[in-house]
Amino acid sequence: MHLSFQKFICCLFLILTFFSCAIVPSVLSESEMGADSLLIGTGGGFTGRETAYLLTSKGLLYQKKASQYEKVGIMDIKWARQAFFVYETQNLEEMDTHAPGNTYYFIERHKAGTVKKLIWGKESGQPEILYQFHRFLWNQIAILQDQKK
């Protein structure tokens, strides 16, 4: 009886592991990005390389690799809610900027089938809130990346 109980526990563990992995995919395609997310990134410079991260409203964080998004980790849900709250309360949705420079920054909001992209360079003279909000998001992403090392 003791051996069958161990088999039961082992099977239960495998089943739970399988379902927990299936709930949060480790790779998303662009079509699966979700209805409520923020895409934060930088790019340009000598190499023209772009680095972007997708934050979902549930706190899931993915890094963009070509046309797919690979899971990086999970942000604190309270912090994620705060990020979306700041986006809304600072009226970033109402801004309209497309002024990339040699190096550029961007924030892209995906909500209910719509996409709003704000892009600016270092010398574009855009409102300070864009720089602050981008830095706020980027610093937390860097902290999560450092914790993984």
Side-chain angles (χ1 to χ4, degrees), residues 75-135:
M75 304 300 267
D76 178 67
I77 189 67
K78 290 179 183 176
W79 179 87
R81 286 182 186 145
Q82 181 183 11
F84 284 84
F85 178 77
V86 169
Y87 184 92
E88 297 296 330
T89 59
Q90 293 300 317
N91 295 320
L92 298 181
E93 189 70 32
E94 304 303 317
M95 290 184 185
D96 189 29
T97 181
H98 186 80
N102 183 36
T103 57
Y104 59 90
Y105 307 92
F106 63 90
I107 299 169
E108 189 173 298
R109 174 77 159 128
H110 296 256
K111 183 178 180 182
T114 63
V115 178
K116 172 71 173 191
K117 186 169 186 173
L118 302 170
I119 184 168
W120 67 95
K122 285 188 176 187
E123 305 296 327
S124 65
Q126 297 301 316
E128 184 67 22
I129 187 62
L130 284 175
Y131 298 101
Q132 291 175 0
F133 185 62
H134 191 277
R135 194 171 332 133

Side-chain angles (χ1 to χ4, degrees), residues 33-38 54-61 75-84 109-110:
M33 280 175 45
D36 200 11
S37 59
L38 288 169
L54 177 76
L55 175 66
T56 70
S57 60
K58 295 180 181 177
L60 301 174
L61 184 69
M75 304 300 267
D76 178 67
I77 189 67
K78 290 179 183 176
W79 179 87
R81 286 182 186 145
Q82 181 183 11
F84 284 84
R109 174 77 159 128
H110 296 256

